[in-house]
């Protein structure tokens, strides 16, 4: 049962990195691909119906970790408190910015909130990459599972590599998504950008996987890492031919194989100790009681299909491409129609 929930948590991370990855990428590229306000509204509308639903995967992943592996939850979240705080602030800022940027018909107002979206997207992607790589490479934990050292103990060269790897993947993933989801000039600019930046932006991901495999890898995690390299190359090749859908699917294969390689190299640990391997948290040692695992398994068996159906339906409803012709003009409320006390 413990191994099952380890795999479930890995699957939840996969869903989050795949869905929120292009979500972050769109935010990063907002001022790059959006040449004017209408095009920026096109970019935001590509993720408008789904961005908040994408974040559910992380919430469920953290909740599942708390329920199935409370020691893992406690040690990881307390040891990475600072990057997690930055991550949460970035998510809050992005969410507020999406809702507020169109509330005032002012270019200055929109530029300010656009800066929040861009900053929040980069910060969130870098933070989640740092936390995920710290989970794989380990943290300075003592025998009680408490962090030893400064609050910046999670910030090391290998975890910074993980941060850049996730951010680079998100950037390319977002550009491929926009090439798939938009039409007209935005589509062609997104496709061209993805082709140009992918050979550079995806290198940290490949270096991260190579580093993990050299330290902790086995035969099958090496195979998973090879799949990542082939999927990335295939995604770039399909994009050259204008097959955005196939390229997007191969980016999904790449992140799936990445999660398999990382969590496969981590197992049977859930959080290694860099001070003493004997102090590492393991799947069996950090797990909840069998009764708790049984209860949450039944809850997941009924709840997961409902969530998947709902989110799949959302993506199906909003599956069509979006262009500037679909964006209505800004609606300005006449001053006489504003509620009493509302400013301009």
């Amino acid at each position: 049962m413990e191994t099952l929930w380890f795999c479930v948590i890995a699957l939840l991370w996969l869903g989050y990195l795949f869905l929120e990855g292009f979500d972050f990428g769109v935010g990063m590229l907002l001022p790059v691909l959006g040449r004017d306000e209408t095009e920026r509204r096109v970019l935001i509308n590509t993720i408008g119906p789904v961005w908040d639903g994408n974040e559910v995967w992380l919430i469920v992943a953290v909740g599942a970790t708390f329920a199935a592996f409370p020691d893992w939850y406690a040690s990881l979240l307390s040891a990475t408190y600072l990057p997690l705080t930055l991550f949460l602030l970035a998510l809050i800022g992005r969410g507020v910015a999406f809702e507020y940027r169109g509330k005032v018909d002012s270019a200055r107002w929109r530029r300010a909130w656009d800066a929040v979206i861009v900053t929040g997207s980069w910060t969130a992607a870098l933070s989640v990459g740092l936390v995920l790589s710290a989970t794989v490479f380990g943290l300075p934990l003592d025998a009680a599972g408490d962090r030893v050292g400064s609050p910046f103990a999670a910030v090391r060269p290998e975890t910074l590599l993980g941060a850049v790897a996730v951010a680079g993947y998100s950037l390319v993933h977002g550009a491929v998504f926009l090439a798939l989801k938009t039409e007209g000039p935005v589509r062609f600019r997104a496709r061209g950008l993805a082709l140009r930046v992918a050979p550079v932006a995806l290198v940290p991901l490949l270096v991260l996987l190579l580093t993990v495999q050299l330290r902790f890898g086995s035969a099958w995690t090496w195979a998973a890492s090879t799949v990542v390299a082939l999927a990335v190359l295939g995604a770039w090749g399909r994009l050259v031919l204008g097959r955005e859908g196939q390229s997007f699917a191969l980016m999904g294969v790449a992140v799936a194989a990445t999660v398999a390689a990382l969590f496969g190299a981590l197992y049977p640990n859930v959080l290694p100790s860099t001070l003493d391997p004997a102090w590492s948290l393991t799947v069996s040692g950090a797990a909840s009681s069998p009764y708790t695992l049984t209860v949450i398994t039944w809850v997941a068996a009924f709840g997961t299909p409902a969530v998947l159906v709902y989110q799949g339906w959302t993506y199906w409803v909003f599956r069509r491409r979006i262009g500037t012709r679909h964006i209505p003009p800004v609606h300005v409320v006449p001053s006489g129609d504003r509620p009493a006390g509302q400013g301009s």
Side-chain angles (χ1 to χ4, degrees):
M1 192 72 77
E2 296 92 343
T3 300
L4 170 65
W5 273 98
F6 179 82
C7 295
V8 168
I9 290 170
L11 184 63
L12 292 170
W13 272 102
L14 163 59
Y16 180 71
L17 291 173
F18 177 68
L19 297 175
E20 194 83 312
F22 69 73
D23 192 327
F24 289 152
V26 172
M28 296 173 183
L29 295 170
L30 186 62
V32 178
L33 296 178
R35 300 289 177 82
D36 55 35
E37 172 57 19
T38 303
E39 291 185 347
R40 285 190 286 273
R41 288 173 66 191
V42 169
L43 267 62
I44 292 174
N45 274 278
T46 62
I47 59 173
V50 299
W51 68 265
D52 48 356
N54 293 342
E55 294 179 357
V56 170
W57 287 82
L58 179 66
I59 296 170
V60 177
V62 174
T65 304
F66 172 75
F69 300 98
D71 291 346
W72 183 11
Y73 172 91
S75 295
L76 178 63
L77 269 66
S78 60
T80 56
Y81 183 81
L82 289 181
L84 283 174
T85 300
L86 287 175
F87 174 68
L88 291 175
L89 291 174
L91 289 186
I92 293 170
R94 288 177 80 247
V96 172
F98 285 138
E99 300 296 333
Y100 274 43
R101 75 178 301 279
K103 299 300 183 183
V104 176
D105 186 22
S106 163
R108 183 178 180 182
W109 171 273
R110 288 189 289 268
R111 282 196 302 270
W113 287 114
D114 287 348
V116 174
I117 293 173
V118 175
T119 304
S121 299
W122 277 102
T123 302
L126 290 167
S127 299
V128 76
L130 189 144
V131 172
L132 181 60
S133 56
T135 303
V136 177
F137 287 108
L139 291 164
L141 303 179
D142 61 18
D146 297 326
R147 185 197 70 221
V148 176
S150 75
F152 299 96
V155 181
R156 307 192 302 274
E158 59 267 32
T159 59
L160 291 174
L161 174 62
V164 175
V166 171
Y169 170 82
S170 298
L171 183 70
V172 177
H173 196 32
V176 174
F177 172 77
L178 288 171
L180 173 65
K181 197 68 175 65
T182 59
E183 62 179 35
V186 176
R187 173 189 177 186
F188 294 109
R189 285 201 298 270
R191 176 172 169 266
L193 179 70
L195 289 171
R196 291 193 303 273
V197 304
V200 176
L202 294 176
V203 167
L205 177 63
L206 299 177
V207 174
L208 172 68
L209 289 171
L210 179 62
T211 304
V212 170
Q213 299 314 311
L214 290 175
R215 293 193 186 184
F216 316 111
S218 59
W220 79 268
T221 57
W222 273 104
S225 299
T226 303
V227 170
V228 176
L230 294 175
V232 164
L233 182 62
W236 189 86
R238 300 315 292 172
L239 200 60
V240 170
L241 300 176
R243 303 289 187 177
E244 293 100 340
Q246 296 176 12
S247 179
F248 184 72
L250 285 169
M251 291 295 290
V253 171
V255 75
T258 296
V259 171
L262 294 179
F263 279 82
L266 176 62
Y267 186 84
N269 294 323
V270 292
L271 189 59
S273 171
T274 58
L275 301 179
D276 188 336
W279 296 340
S280 298
L281 300 180
T282 63
V283 168
S284 58
S288 295
S289 67
Y291 176 78
T292 300
L293 294 176
T294 300
V295 170
I296 63 175
T297 299
W298 279 105
V299 172
F302 286 98
T304 303
V307 173
L308 292 175
V309 168
Y310 168 75
Q311 196 161 28
W313 176 80
T314 302
Y315 276 94
W316 175 256
V317 169
F318 296 100
R319 67 188 182 279
R320 299 188 184 280
R321 292 182 182 271
I322 301 174
T324 54
R325 64 189 178 93
H326 299 111
I327 304 299
V330 175
H331 177 65
V332 180
V333 179
S335 58
D337 295 340
R338 294 192 181 98
Q342 181 173 319
S344 57

